[in-house]
Amino acid sequence: MCIASATALAKFAEDKGLTENYIIPSMDEWEIYPMQATEVAMKCIEQGLARKKASRAEIHDGAAAIIERTQKIVKLLMAQGFIADPPPEPK
């Protein structure tokens, strides 16, 4: 499952175009998370470890919906001051 996750991460980065300054997606590139979740879930199903079985599309859409909802909640909590803004990135 770790290899499936790492492979999805590497493929995403390759598809975006690897450069000296870009070898791994940033946290802002949230599209990778449903992709990784899907690959890990498919590996769990393949290995007989999953409690529920679903199609690749169902898994991806479910993961994307959860991640999108969570991002909205975090932004709302940040706007209301319950979560501090992240520190600035080092230069």
Side-chain angles (χ1 to χ4, degrees):
M1 289 177 274
C2 290
I3 293 171
S5 177
T7 301
L9 187 63
K11 181 175 178 355
F12 184 87
E14 286 175 358
D15 290 348
K16 289 286 226 169
L18 295 174
T19 67
E20 183 177 307
N21 295 319
Y22 184 83
I23 58 170
I24 192 164
S26 72
M27 295 294 289
D28 294 330
E29 296 174 285
W30 74 271
E31 309 87 32
I32 183 58
Y33 303 120
M35 292 172 60
Q36 279 185 295
T38 302
E39 293 307 316
V40 171
M42 296 306 294
K43 186 56 75 173
C44 287
I45 291 169
E46 176 188 315
Q47 294 178 351
L49 300 171
R51 288 182 292 143
K52 296 193 281 184
K53 293 185 171 96
S55 72
R56 181 176 290 279
E58 290 170 326
I59 294 166
H60 184 275
D61 292 348
I66 291 167
I67 291 164
E68 185 177 6
R69 187 178 108 244
T70 303
Q71 285 182 322
K72 287 178 182 178
I73 291 168
V74 168
K75 285 180 183 177
L76 176 64
L77 292 172
M78 288 175 76
Q80 293 178 352
F82 292 106
I83 298 175
D85 288 334
E89 294 210 15
K91 294 182 180 190

